Every structure is written in structure tokens, then in C-alpha cells.
Amino acid sequence: MLWLLFFLVTAIHAELCQPDAENAFKVRLSIRTALGDKAYVWDTNEEYLFKAMVAFSMRKVPNRERTEISHVLLCNVTQRVSFWFVVTDPSKTHTIPAVEVQSAIRMNRNRINNAFFLNDQTLEFLKIPSTLAPPTDPPVPIWIIIFGVIFCIVIVAIMLLVLSGIRQRRRKNTGPSEVDDIEDKCENTVTIENGIPCDPLDTKRGHANDAFMTEDERLTPL
Amino acid sequence: MRPGAMSPGDPLVSTCKHQAPDSSQQISGLEEYSVALDNDEAAEIPEPSGPGPDQSRAIETEDGMWVLAEGLGEQGVEEGNQGAWNSGSFLVPYIIMLIVEGMPLLYLELAVGQRMRQGSIGAWRAISPYLSGVGVASVVVSFFLSMYYNVINAWAFWYLFHSFQDPLPWSVCPLNSNLTGYNEECEKASSTQYFWYRQTLNISPSIQDNGGVQWEPALCLILAWLVVYLCILRGTESTGKVVYFTALMPYCVLIIYLIRGLTLHGATNGLMYMFTPKMEQLANPKAWINAATQIFFSLGLGFGSLIAFASYNEPSNDCQKHAIIVSLINSSTSIFASIVTFSIYGFKATFNYETCLSKVILLLTNSFDLEDGFLTTSNLEQVKDYLASSYPSKYSEVLPHIRNCSLESELDTAVQGTGLAFIVYTEAIKNMEVSQLWSVLYFFMLLMLGIGSMLGNTAAILTPLTDSKVISRHLPKEAISGLVCLINCAIGMVFTMEAGNYWFDIFNDYAATLSLLLIVLVETVAVCYVYGLRRFESDLKAMTGRALSWYWKVMWAGVSPLLIVSLFLFYLSDYILTGTLQYQAWDASQGQLVTKDYPAYALAVIALLVASSAMCIPLVALGTFVSRRLKKGDTAPVA
């Protein structure tokens, strides 16, 4: 009698968990790709852990707090490693709708990944899309900050150069007029003091310094 | 002599203290000679009796000329990277074209500048008054070049500012709206292409859809023009010092990149590809045409800047030695840069090839539920055969999805246009460790090269403007430079529109290429046949004291003009054969480039670009002829 019951149960289980069964999901693991030399072997203990993680995820769903590890059924484990799983209700006759399982897995994806040292790409739940992390956007884009800094530096440098150029030109503008005056003054042999033509100075009231007067002879006539 | 102009013999110098004449006075002194030349006696070229350039400035301009040539060479490297070198067997045609075309024409321009001792407009007027249009055409070409070239600097700024993020923005695709996958356009293309076409350019599907001005590239363009203005503000003296920095700094970065590039995985694939000549490609004339054009632009022939620089040299300067040294430095820079380029290219190709292989492996592993890690690159082929034989039906289902990965095809992929510099390099950089550092270094180097080229160009435009007494009397030097930068910036806003990159390609392909060929052809013919090769030879001998070797004579009189004419004929026949001109447009739905025809008004713009510089030569000749006739008509009745 017991054997009959056992066969019945396994038959039902086999029906519930099949590839492409209703509410069944395929899982694919790429342990060696993820961990390389530190890859662990996939055995029944790992399967037990997987069942525990799925049960844990289901227990977080309201109305499903009574989910036990024995309610999660695994089948068709291949060498890949890949398998199918379903979650049954406490009566073990029906499977929980795919939508609930999907939302439960999505909520706890991170925990499941971490339990196996894998990530979304190496522990794949086919037909359950993972939520991708949005890129963190700083309030002000970084490039504008750098742009602003360099822009200000360049503007300041331009201002400095332009202002110094204007100042230089102003100095030069008073210079050439002195040049012309000096040319005439040299011809007229009038003394120069500090580049200021002496003509505006009133020679009558001014004091003519003899030491400078003798310099006229050094000027060669044009 | 004009009052105020100084000469060393002037007795006033010793007693009355004056400021030393600065270069602007010197140039205006030279301007006087060109004014004097207008009075019929163009054949007699008076020896400049003004103050000769002092030795220190001559050395500075010699070095300035070298760094200008290097800077132009690196610009040519950049342009060469933009598609002329998508074959690996460019070395042989490049070196041959350098010896046959590059060195003779460079020597010619330097000799003309040194002999005539004037900028490009005055120098050609000295050779023959009918030919001053050549100088004008050079200035027009430089004007067009400066209009569009700074946009490259704007893009380089954009990428540089974006390099300070982790992860690099072009290494990951942005997510779509419901955060379940990546952006569709980005999936179809690659993340680097998406960043270039969508986030940098925001390109429209065709040249007709203009779109509006994008404020981000516009800001970068304004910044680029401000930086150029800062460098040329003070005139040629300050430009010379800046050019030192902008031409030498890229060498440092290139060396760092060389070391990094050669240690990359897969670099040797790229280098082997570069150094193995492919016979069938050598037989294709297009490789030779590309090499010839490449030499042209990398040496900066026909822009007038070489003549301007050489005019500051001492008459006894050995310009032949300079020409050879400059062209050798230039080409070794190009080859050096191409080694770096090809090693990075090889890294990128190897990386893509290995990614393709791992995708195939993953596909097969998943479809057949093989053990993870069982399939490797070494046993892939055997396992594929085994699977094909054991599970034929399932294999035939999977077969269409399996891509044939080939390293050769990855190396052969050519990217057209400026996209090469931005897409290919960023794709390679994002796979390196510490990619932010390499990215910053690379775009900084690109900026230095670009700004160096811009300085040369704007100097070529500004020199005639500041020399002309009409303008310089009313406006100071800073205002003229500012005005030129402002006008160019305003016109450059066209290239920041959504369709701006298509207009940029138009300018890039047509503004300079044909006109420069024509200018150099006219230059060579003018020196050899109008001025007289024997006369020029004797002038050079009197000036430098060295006889002209037969090699240069043969090149100038025969080979180079023939070569340029054949280049012309090739371009014309290419155009006639293909019928209409086409361009590559980015299709966002497919995620790749498609070929489209230019609309009528774009063709009109192209024709205008080429004609406006080429027509300068005959128009000015005609104008001079007419004005001389009128003058002769005026003077005849009096006499």
C-alpha cells in the first residue's frame, strides 16, 4: 500500500515538474564561467540550498508564508547545469501561478545570487527578466563642472592678455609721439630730460643745467 | 624711408632711446616692398634693405617651422586615420610618394618663401603679378579649413570632459524606459557608436532634416574657439611658443601609448597586419592615390604657411636640408603614430573576435545543454562537427544564429570619416584597465594636435589681415583676431546642428582636397615655367651658395606636375563613374550607416566650396590684366 502511495506521489510530482510544464521555470547556471578554478560541484546539497532559497522567496509573498522546502520540485537536471522547477501549494496537487513565483524571485534575486556566488548573467531564470540597476546620475553632470572650470580659466586668461595689451598700447601711443618730438628736438638741439620734451617747459623760468647743455655736440647733424 | 622705420645705421638709435621695432613694424616694412612692386617692375626683386631678421628669431622660426610641419603632420595623421589607412599595406606607397612628391614640393615651397621673403600673397605676386591669386586661394582654403576644423576640437573637449566618470559613458548602454533591458538603438549598434551618434552628435537620419542647434556641442565649440583666441591673441610671437607645446606634448603621449599599446593582448595581430604588404592591394591604384593625398595634407603643402614661415629665414639658410629633415620627421611621426594605431586596432579586433567566439560557445552550450566550460576556443570546431553529426535537426535550427568569427574580417573593418578617431579608439580604450586615464591622455593629445593645427591655420588667415594697412589702422591686432574667431564660431554653429555632421563631412571631403591640388600644381608650374627653372636655380645658388641637384629639377619640372595631374584625372573619373556623390547617413532603427545621395543644394554647396578657392587664381589674373590694361590706357595718351 505504501509503495502504491509512493509511486502515486512521485507520479504526481513528475507530472507537476516537467520541462515546459505549466508554471515551471527553467534555471541555468554557469558556475565555471563565474568562478573559474574555485567552482563548486553541483550536487544534491546545492539543489537543497536552491530549494531553500526559492521557498524563502515564496514565504515573503503574502498568503504564501506556509511554503516549505518540500513544496519546491526540481527536475531534469542536466550537466549544463540547468533544470526546471515548480512550486506547489501545501496540498502538493497544484502549482503556484507563474506570476507569483516570478514576482517573488524578482524581489529576492540578489539574495539568491549571493547564496551561490553568482550574478544575474550566470544564474539565469529564463522568462524572468531581471531588473537592471539604473545608472547613478549625479545632480549636476560631471562634464559641466569640468567645462565650467576650464571655461572660467580661459576667460580670465583672455581678459588678462587683452588688458595688458591695451595697457601696452597706451604706453606705446605716448611713446611714438615722444619719438617724433625727440627727432625734432634733436635737430633743434634742445635738452631732453627723462623723455619729456622740454619745449612746454618755460625756459625763462626754468633753470638751465649747464651739464646737460653740452650734450648737444654729441648729436650728429642729419 | 617711412619716418619711424628703423634701420641699424640710423644715427638716432644711439642717442635717443627708442623701443626696438617689433615684428609688426617689420612685416609692414615688407609690405611696402610689395606695394612698390606693383609699379610694373615685378621682374626686379629688390633686396630687402630693412632690418634683417635677427638670428634668434630665425632659429625660433626654423624650429617653429619644424613644429608646424610636425603639427600639420600629426593633423595629417589624424586625417589619415580617418579612412585613408584602412588597409594594412600603406607603407610602401607612402614612402614612395614621400620621396617622389612630398620632399620636392616641400623644398619648392620653402625655397620660394626664403627667396621672395614675403608671405604667400606677396611671394606669388613677386613671381608674376598675374599669379597672386595663388596666395589668395591659399588664404581662402585656410579660411574654410578653420571654419570646420575646430569642430573636431569641440568633440575632443566633449569626450575629454566625459572621461572623468566611472564607468566611461560610452562603455555601457543606457537602460530603456522600464529598466528591463538596454536602449534599443544601443543594442543594435554598439555602446561606443551609440554614444557618438546619439549622445554626442544627436544625428538626424539625413542631411535634409536640419534639427536645431545642440547646446552641448555648441558650448564645446565656443570653448574651443576661446582657447584658439587665447593662443593667437598676441600674434605670431606667442603663437610660436604655444606651437612648441602643442607639437611636442603629443609625442610624450604617443610614447606612453606606444608602450601601453605594444603590451596589449592582440597588438601583434594588428602590427603583423600593418607590416605585411598585400600584393593585390598594391596593384589597386586607390592605395597610391590615398598615399599621395595623405602626403600632401600631412606636409601642409599649398596652405601658404610654409612660405610664410620660410620668409623669416636667413637668405643663406640651407632650405634643402630643412626640407629633407622636416619631411623625414613628418613621415617618421606618421609611421610612429600608425604603429600605435595599429597595435590598438589589433587589440580591438582581437577583443571583438574573442567576444564573438565566446558568444558562439555560449549559444552552443545553452542549446545543447553541454557542461559549462566544456567548450573552449581550441575544441570548438571539433565539437561543432560532432554536434552536427549527432544532432542534425537541432544543429540546423541553431546554425543560422552562429556567426562566423574571423580575425581577418575584424581587422578589415573600415570606419569612415572622423568617426574613426572617436569610435575605434574609444572602443579600444574602454576595454583597457584604468580606462579613464587612457581616455584622458588620448583626448588631451587629440586636443593638442587639433589646436596646433588651428593655430597654423588662423595664423595663415590673420597674417594678410594684420599686414594690410587698411584694416590694421582701424582695428588693433586683438580685435582682428577676435573678429575672425567670432565669425568662424558663428559659422561653425552649423556643424552643431543635428545634421551638422553631414555638413562637416562635406567640408572635410571637398573644401581642401581639390583646391590644394590645384594650388600646388599652379605653384610648381609657375616656378618652373613662368618664373623659369634656370632663373630660380641661379637665384637659389646666389642665395644659399649650393647648386641645385638634378633630382630636384627633374621632380619639379616633370614628375610632380604629372603626378598631380594624374591625381586630378583620377578624382574626376571617380566622380563621373559613380554618377552622383553619396554620403553615409546613420539609421537609428537599424543601428548602422546607410548610403544616401546628396540633395541638390548640398551639391551646390560642394561646387561653391571647390570653385570659390579654385576660381581665385584665374579671377585675380584677369583682374590684374584688366587693371594693367586700364593703367596702360591711362598713361598712353600722356606719353
Side-chain angles (χ1 to χ4, degrees):
Chain A
M1 188 58 190
L2 273 172
W3 287 109
L4 211 63
L5 209 59
F6 181 67
F7 281 133
L8 200 63
V9 166
T10 46
I12 293 176
H13 276 197
E15 270 180 31
L16 287 177
C17 176
Q18 267 182 16
D20 297 322
E22 196 188 349
N23 302 330
F25 290 96
K26 183 166 183 186
V27 180
R28 195 150 58 198
L29 288 93
S30 314
I31 307 174
R32 201 162 307 169
T33 314
L35 301 171
D37 291 332
K38 297 197 251 280
Y40 48 81
V41 179
W42 185 262
D43 54 9
T44 46
N45 297 329
E46 307 284 344
E47 287 179 23
Y48 191 81
L49 178 60
F50 184 81
K51 288 192 217 174
M53 295 305 296
V54 173
F56 161 77
S57 313
M58 290 311 300
R59 284 166 89 107
K60 292 249 179 134
V61 175
N63 292 343
R64 297 287 175 200
E65 287 92 346
R66 295 251 170 257
T67 316
E68 300 288 336
I69 294 182
S70 50
H71 295 160
V72 182
L73 307 172
L74 261 62
C75 50
N76 282 65
V77 183
T78 66
Q79 254 194 329
R80 169 66 181 80
V81 174
S82 68
F83 49 84
W84 291 82
F85 77 95
V86 286
V87 187
T88 61
D89 58 356
S91 67
K92 298 204 186 168
T93 47
H94 306 288
T95 53
I96 295 184
V99 186
E100 287 188 35
V101 180
Q102 192 173 22
S103 68
I105 301 277
R106 277 189 89 173
M107 293 292 195
N108 300 290
R109 192 63 190 272
N110 220 19
R111 299 288 292 269
I112 304 177
N113 285 349
N114 284 340
F116 292 98
F117 303 125
L118 300 171
N119 59 23
D120 279 355
Q121 278 79 44
T122 40
L123 172 58
E124 297 168 75
F125 288 81
L126 301 184
K127 287 191 289 178
I128 302 184
S130 52
T131 316
L132 299 167
T136 51
D137 276 332
V140 179
I142 298 182
W143 76 272
I144 290 201
I145 300 175
I146 305 176
F147 170 82
V149 168
I150 300 202
F151 192 77
C152 294
I153 293 177
V154 170
I155 294 268
V156 165
I158 290 179
M159 290 292 166
L160 285 175
L161 281 182
V162 168
L163 287 175
S164 73
I166 293 179
R167 224 180 304 135
Q168 224 174 32
R169 200 167 305 112
R170 227 173 269 156
R171 237 184 287 136
K172 217 186 341 161
N173 275 339
T174 53
S177 54
E178 295 167 23
V179 170
D180 296 334
D181 293 342
I182 288 166
E183 278 182 20
D184 303 331
K185 297 306 171 261
C186 289
E187 287 175 15
N188 299 336
T189 67
V190 167
T191 55
I192 319 147
E193 284 200 58
N194 292 335
I196 304 169
C198 297
D199 209 339
L201 294 177
D202 196 348
T203 45
K204 295 193 187 58
R205 275 186 280 143
H207 189 75
N209 193 338
D210 289 68
F212 284 89
M213 293 291 274
T214 52
E215 280 212 337
D216 312 339
E217 290 140 32
R218 280 211 251 139
L219 293 170
T220 54
L222 289 172
Chain B
M1 186 174 290
R2 196 160 57 87
M6 303 306 299
S7 72
D10 195 328
L12 296 175
V13 174
S14 47
T15 45
C16 307
K17 297 183 183 51
H18 302 268
Q19 278 183 348
D22 61 75
S23 58
S24 62
Q25 274 201 335
Q26 192 172 16
I27 301 174
S28 21
L30 291 173
E31 177 73 19
E32 222 185 34
Y33 297 128
S34 54
V35 170
L37 284 172
D38 268 337
N39 307 326
D40 282 22
E41 298 312 311
E44 274 305 313
I45 299 170
E47 287 300 316
S49 55
D54 56 297
Q55 193 67 20
S56 59
R57 273 195 63 248
I59 294 175
E60 185 179 349
T61 48
E62 275 173 30
D63 289 340
M65 182 175 63
W66 293 11
V67 299
L68 174 78
E70 290 163 18
L72 284 171
E74 285 154 349
Q75 169 197 352
V77 162
E78 221 179 288
E79 292 186 6
N81 286 343
Q82 296 162 18
W85 287 352
N86 41 15
S87 70
S89 60
F90 75 95
L91 265 183
V92 170
Y94 185 80
I95 293 179
I96 294 183
M97 283 294 158
L98 176 76
I99 298 176
V100 165
E101 186 194 343
M103 273 197 233
L105 292 173
L106 181 65
Y107 182 28
L108 181 72
E109 288 215 358
L110 291 182
V112 166
Q114 194 168 307
R115 173 69 191 91
M116 305 304 166
R117 312 197 60 69
Q118 296 180 61
S120 71
I121 298 185
W124 294 108
R125 195 173 3 195
I127 288 194
S128 155
Y130 296 107
L131 283 180
S132 50
V134 174
V136 176
S138 296
V139 173
V140 172
V141 170
S142 293
F143 183 63
F144 286 145
L145 198 69
S146 69
M147 252 198 270
Y148 79 83
Y149 198 79
N150 220 11
V151 182
I152 301 183
N153 290 337
W155 293 332
F157 267 121
W158 168 267
Y159 269 86
L160 179 68
F161 295 150
H162 277 90
S163 310
F164 289 98
Q165 297 172 5
D166 179 34
L168 288 174
W170 54 82
S171 57
V172 288
C173 271
L175 302 176
N176 60 12
S177 38
N178 51 2
L179 297 185
T180 50
Y182 296 112
N183 183 305
E184 201 185 307
E185 189 181 348
C186 193
E187 285 275 289
K188 296 218 181 85
S190 66
S191 54
T192 43
Q193 281 180 317
Y194 177 76
F195 186 76
W196 169 246
Y197 285 111
R198 189 53 48 210
Q199 291 183 324
T200 309
L201 299 175
N202 197 13
I203 206 165
S204 63
S206 75
I207 199 172
Q208 281 101 325
D209 312 320
N210 268 330
V213 172
Q214 313 290 312
W215 65 270
E216 297 106 338
L219 275 183
C220 293
L221 183 65
I222 294 176
L223 178 66
W225 273 112
L226 282 177
V227 172
V228 169
Y229 181 53
L230 176 67
C231 298
I232 62 175
L233 189 48
R234 278 307 184 77
T236 5
E237 316 98 61
S238 65
T239 314
K241 296 187 183 61
V242 176
V243 166
Y244 269 115
F245 178 70
T246 59
L248 294 179
M249 165 65 89
Y251 275 107
C252 305
V253 179
L254 268 180
I255 291 177
I256 298 176
Y257 252 97
L258 182 74
I259 300 174
R260 171 76 262 215
L262 289 178
T263 53
L264 281 173
H265 165 68
T268 39
N269 293 336
L271 287 178
M272 282 194 306
Y273 181 73
M274 168 176 144
F275 282 112
T276 47
K278 297 179 188 47
M279 284 305 142
E280 64 275 5
Q281 274 184 349
L282 282 181
N284 181 8
K286 208 154 178 43
W288 297 89
I289 305 287
N290 281 340
T293 322
Q294 185 54 35
I295 293 278
F296 243 92
F297 301 124
S298 76
L299 285 177
L301 301 170
F303 282 103
S305 33
L306 287 169
I307 298 182
F309 268 114
S311 66
Y312 287 106
N313 284 341
E314 289 259 340
S316 54
N317 183 31
D318 185 3
C319 48
Q320 174 181 313
K321 187 177 72 173
H322 278 169
I324 296 181
I325 293 180
V326 167
S327 47
L328 282 180
I329 292 181
N330 193 283
S331 47
S332 45
T333 309
S334 300
I335 296 183
F336 179 57
S338 66
I339 291 181
V340 177
T341 305
F342 271 96
S343 57
I344 294 187
Y345 213 45
F347 165 72
K348 170 184 106 80
T350 312
F351 189 84
N352 287 348
Y353 171 65
E354 289 177 354
T355 313
C356 173
L357 276 182
S358 32
K359 280 206 192 117
V360 170
I361 289 177
L362 191 66
L363 179 67
L364 285 176
T365 314
N366 286 344
S367 323
F368 292 97
D369 277 329
L370 306 167
E371 186 184 336
D372 180 32
F374 170 67
L375 261 184
T376 57
T377 47
S378 36
N379 63 5
L380 181 62
E381 288 304 313
Q382 300 146 297
V383 174
K384 264 167 62 172
D385 297 333
Y386 164 72
L387 288 173
S389 52
S390 336
Y391 308 97
S393 56
K394 207 168 178 191
Y395 190 77
S396 52
E397 275 175 28
V398 176
L399 193 60
H401 301 288
I402 298 181
R403 282 180 49 198
N404 258 334
C405 303
S406 137
L407 189 60
E408 276 292 318
S409 66
E410 291 286 338
L411 284 169
D412 278 337
T413 46
V415 179
Q416 291 291 341
T418 38
L420 186 87
F422 289 101
I423 294 181
V424 169
Y425 267 93
T426 47
E427 204 172 311
I429 286 174
K430 79 173 196 246
N431 298 325
M432 299 186 194
E433 293 102 41
V434 201
S435 34
Q436 281 81 9
L437 170 70
W438 299 111
S439 176
V440 168
L441 270 181
Y442 173 68
F443 288 110
F444 189 63
M445 176 184 76
L446 211 62
L447 263 181
M448 291 293 109
L449 292 176
I451 293 195
S453 311
M454 277 307 295
L455 295 182
N457 273 329
T458 38
I461 304 173
L462 281 179
T463 320
L465 284 180
T466 46
D467 288 351
S468 101
K469 288 186 280 197
V470 171
I471 301 180
S472 61
R473 205 179 308 144
H474 296 295
L475 292 171
K477 203 169 38 182
E478 287 91 346
I480 301 179
S481 323
L483 222 64
V484 168
C485 289
L486 193 67
I487 295 175
N488 277 327
C489 189
I491 300 179
M493 286 298 162
V494 171
F495 302 116
T496 57
M497 295 194 307
E498 286 186 17
N501 196 37
Y502 301 129
W503 290 107
F504 176 85
D505 282 335
I506 285 184
F507 270 75
N508 198 19
D509 291 335
Y510 300 106
T513 44
L514 289 171
S515 323
L516 280 181
L517 285 178
L518 183 66
I519 289 174
V520 175
L521 179 66
V522 173
E523 283 183 3
T524 324
V525 165
V527 168
C528 291
Y529 299 108
V530 174
Y531 189 77
L533 187 57
R534 257 180 256 276
R535 196 166 142 207
F536 195 61
E537 182 186 351
S538 58
D539 282 349
L540 279 183
K541 184 141 186 222
M543 194 170 65
T544 63
R546 298 170 59 111
L548 198 61
S549 145
W550 60 270
Y551 176 72
W552 304 116
K553 284 191 272 196
V554 166
M555 287 295 145
W556 289 349
V559 178
S560 299
L562 279 176
L563 202 63
I564 302 177
V565 169
S566 60
L567 277 180
F568 253 125
L569 289 176
F570 172 79
Y571 277 120
L572 275 176
S573 63
D574 204 39
Y575 170 62
I576 294 174
L577 281 176
T578 49
T580 177
L581 296 169
Q582 296 174 318
Y583 69 104
Q584 305 277 61
W586 176 255
D587 188 347
S589 53
Q590 289 180 35
Q592 62 183 33
L593 292 167
V594 293
T595 318
K596 289 193 182 169
D597 290 335
Y598 276 125
Y601 61 89
L603 290 174
V605 168
I606 295 177
L608 198 67
L609 277 178
V610 178
S612 53
S613 45
M615 283 299 135
C616 282
I617 305 177
L619 279 179
V620 171
L622 196 65
T624 323
F625 182 68
V626 166
S627 67
R628 278 183 153 211
R629 266 296 177 83
L630 288 178
K631 253 188 250 170
K632 279 212 180 93
D634 282 343
T635 53
V638 176

